[in-house]
Amino acid sequence: MISGRIACRSIAVVLAAASLLPVGSASADPVPPAPGPQATELVPPAPGPEQDDPVAPAPGPETADPLAPAPGPETAGLVPPAPGPEEDDPGSPSPGPQTAELVPGVPLNVLQLWQTDTPDQALPPRVYEPSPEEDAVEPRDAPEGTYDLVEYVPPMDALENVKCSEETGPRQRQVERWLELPVDGEQSAADCRAIRAFQKKHRIKPAMGFAGPVTWATMQLVAARENPNAAKKCPVRSYRIACVDLDRQLAWVQRGEKVVFGPLHIRSGRAGYGTRTGWHRIYWRHKNHVSSLYNSPMPYSQFFSGGQAFHGIYGNLFAPVGSMGCVNLRLDDARDLWRVLKKNDRVYVWGHRTEE
């Protein structure tokens, strides 16, 4: 049964845009709050008179060179004209406040801010040795039902409580191919029956045969269970490696060719906040970490690149929009991964997350 809350939300979505709607109570990744006290410590104040060298006099007429002629038409030829747009280096940002450093060591560049790493992604968090008392505290459990497999379905199907959707889903071709159906990218009655059967088997709700992102993610995990590294994209080494496949949104741990943990679902960075690919190393583990920028809990954090870490979340892992750069896990999976990995273990990330 669809609650009044979901129905209202569905109607709002229909009026706003023809987008997909999750039916369930799981929440999405919170939108970063506007800069506030929790983020101000990351941004040094703009220099002002009180920060200038107290010995150096403020520039003014009294400090000007008395022998230098006052600027005017007769001296114009001695002063080169200010460079215009056609003379600027196209690879350099225009001079001004936007070239200042929001965080020491992290200069801004010509990209828009949302196309670059946020300060807590670019810089590692404050590293310290947690006390035994702090480490003894286990993060709170996620609310019941948080990680239920709740599919994103068309709003009208949700409102009308459709048993078998006639709508073509965003993952129609992939789902048809996985189920060995005729691959035409169009929903049919036969497609719907086969998809519903898979959804019922794997407890995906609502089982109405819609080829959505949760159904496809579940198929990816089922197919990977026997051998997640069948494509040999994660390097084989004698030591432990945490493998992160952004293409399939999966992670596992292997030593040599043996998978010692996983595979499991993940959620990586959204567009503009991508999880960094390549080799990394776990340099700090903090069981009860809280984001310094977003003021949100990051239980069982294992940092491997700047402010990017494996950690559990209390929201919906299957939200169409990705994380702010970290590798999100279900809380239970994050707890189990905490027991498997150690400081200095290697992490290898590859691929590219596709937004739904």
Side-chain angles (χ1 to χ4, degrees):
M1 179 179 294
I2 297 174
S3 68
R5 177 180 175 186
I6 293 301
C8 291
R9 185 178 300 170
S10 302
I11 295 170
V13 172
V14 172
L15 295 176
S19 59
L20 299 182
L21 174 76
V23 181
S25 60
S27 60
D29 187 36
V31 176
Q38 71 272 15
T40 53
E41 65 182 30
L42 297 177
V43 183
E50 69 278 9
Q51 295 174 292
D52 294 338
D53 181 358
V55 178
E62 68 278 9
T63 61
D65 185 352
L67 300 180
E74 66 278 11
T75 61
L78 301 176
V79 181
E86 68 280 4
E87 298 176 278
D88 290 341
D89 178 1
S92 303
S94 301
Q98 67 271 25
T99 62
E101 293 180 347
L102 287 179
V103 177
V106 186
L108 294 182
N109 55 37
V110 293
L111 295 176
Q112 300 289 351
L113 286 178
W114 58 84
Q115 296 174 313
T116 62
D117 283 342
T118 56
D120 69 336
Q121 286 179 288
L123 295 179
R126 182 176 67 88
V127 175
Y128 68 96
E129 188 67 31
S131 66
E133 292 76 17
E134 181 182 354
D135 265 350
V137 177
E138 289 294 327
R140 63 181 175 86
D141 288 333
E144 185 177 353
T146 298
Y147 305 117
D148 287 350
L149 298 176
V150 181
E151 184 58 276
Y152 286 69
V153 299
M156 293 311 298
D157 282 359
L159 288 170
E160 296 173 8
N161 198 20
V162 171
K163 290 186 178 180
C164 199
S165 177
E166 297 179 356
E167 300 294 328
T168 296
R171 296 294 190 175
Q172 191 75 36
R173 287 184 177 276
Q174 294 99 318
V175 168
E176 289 170 345
R177 186 174 293 109
W178 198 90
L179 291 172
E180 299 182 350
L181 299 168
V183 181
D184 59 9
E186 297 291 335
Q187 177 78 315
S188 67
D191 290 346
C192 188
R193 287 193 298 270
I195 297 169
R196 282 192 72 199
F198 176 88
Q199 291 171 335
K200 288 179 178 180
K201 179 179 179 180
H202 294 279
R203 301 180 180 179
I204 298 172
K205 304 178 293 185
M208 61 173 61
F210 184 73
V214 176
T215 299
W216 176 238
T218 305
M219 289 178 172
Q220 297 269 61
L221 181 61
V222 171
R225 279 176 178 158
E226 185 175 347
N227 182 11
N229 201 31
K232 305 296 183 185
K233 292 190 176 181
C234 191
V236 174
R237 299 289 188 271
S238 60
Y239 44 82
R240 250 191 327 262
I241 299 176
C243 306
V244 181
D245 184 346
L246 304 183
D247 295 326
R248 295 182 293 173
Q249 292 291 284
L250 298 175
W252 64 91
V253 180
Q254 64 185 38
R255 183 195 291 272
E257 295 185 352
K258 182 179 180 181
V259 175
V260 297
F261 178 73
L264 46 84
H265 291 294
I266 65 163
R267 183 178 64 161
S268 64
R270 65 187 68 178
Y273 298 86
T275 304
R276 284 183 282 271
T277 57
W279 282 104
H280 309 287
R281 187 187 298 272
I282 292 175
Y283 67 87
W284 189 50
R285 289 159 31 99
H286 190 201
K287 185 186 293 184
N288 292 286
H289 191 71
V290 176
S291 169
S292 59
L293 190 63
Y294 305 124
N295 196 30
S296 58
M298 297 170 59
Y300 302 104
S301 285
Q302 303 191 71
F303 289 88
F304 58 81
S305 178
Q308 296 186 353
F310 293 107
H311 69 84
I313 60 169
Y314 292 101
N316 180 11
L317 193 70
F318 299 100
V321 179
S323 73
M324 300 301 287
C326 288
V327 176
N328 294 163
L329 307 165
R330 300 183 191 205
L331 189 68
D332 289 349
D333 289 341
R335 183 185 296 119
D336 291 341
L337 185 64
W338 175 271
R339 295 165 180 160
V340 172
L341 296 179
K342 305 297 179 188
K343 184 178 178 181
N344 292 322
D345 275 346
R346 302 301 297 269
V347 178
Y348 187 75
V349 184
W350 73 94
H352 177 73
R353 175 187 167 88
T354 302
E355 297 289 353
E356 303 298 340

